[in-house]
Amino acid sequence: MTRSCCEYPEPDDWRDRAACIGEDPEIFFPLSDVAAPGTEASRARAVCRRCAVLLACRDWALEHGEDDGIWGATTAAQRRAIRRAAMEPAPRARRHGVGAG
């Protein structure tokens, strides 16, 4: 017996609970974020900071390489820095006493 797609509910989508629903999308894509970081982005980031799904939004943008706009209260430059840091090798632990003379 086969089941139709309608018999299975859609999984909960974090975007359905986002605080930005109903906000002007333009505030999340500021033109001058590079020239004056935080100036135009401040309205969008204020919305993000009160959002219950901020981390899910940020993670989605990081996983999908989103290089435009404000996602999870981060700018494109901040997300690039996060991705770079994640790709750097972990620092080696120093051994105490080795080589001490």
Side-chain angles (χ1 to χ4, degrees):
M1 176 170 154
T2 60
R3 296 179 184 229
S4 73
C5 66
C6 299
E7 292 181 42
Y8 296 103
E10 288 284 324
D12 185 36
D13 191 337
W14 61 267
R15 289 170 278 210
D16 294 336
R17 297 186 326 266
C20 58
I21 293 175
E23 295 284 342
D24 180 2
E26 295 289 319
I27 70 169
F28 296 94
F29 295 92
L31 297 175
S32 64
D33 188 52
V34 174
T39 309
E40 288 187 27
S42 62
R43 262 184 73 201
R45 295 176 86 185
V47 172
C48 293
R49 286 190 195 100
R50 71 171 201 266
C51 186
V53 295
L54 180 144
L55 293 177
C57 178
R58 181 183 304 162
D59 290 346
W60 184 93
L62 288 167
E63 289 170 15
H64 291 87
E66 187 59 60
D67 277 335
D68 294 309
I70 306 299
W71 293 84
T74 60
T75 65
Q78 289 169 325
R79 290 190 302 279
R80 284 190 296 274
I82 291 168
R83 283 193 292 271
R84 274 193 309 273
M87 294 181 72
E88 290 178 2
R92 292 184 181 185
R94 291 185 178 173
R95 292 184 185 172
H96 295 285
V98 175

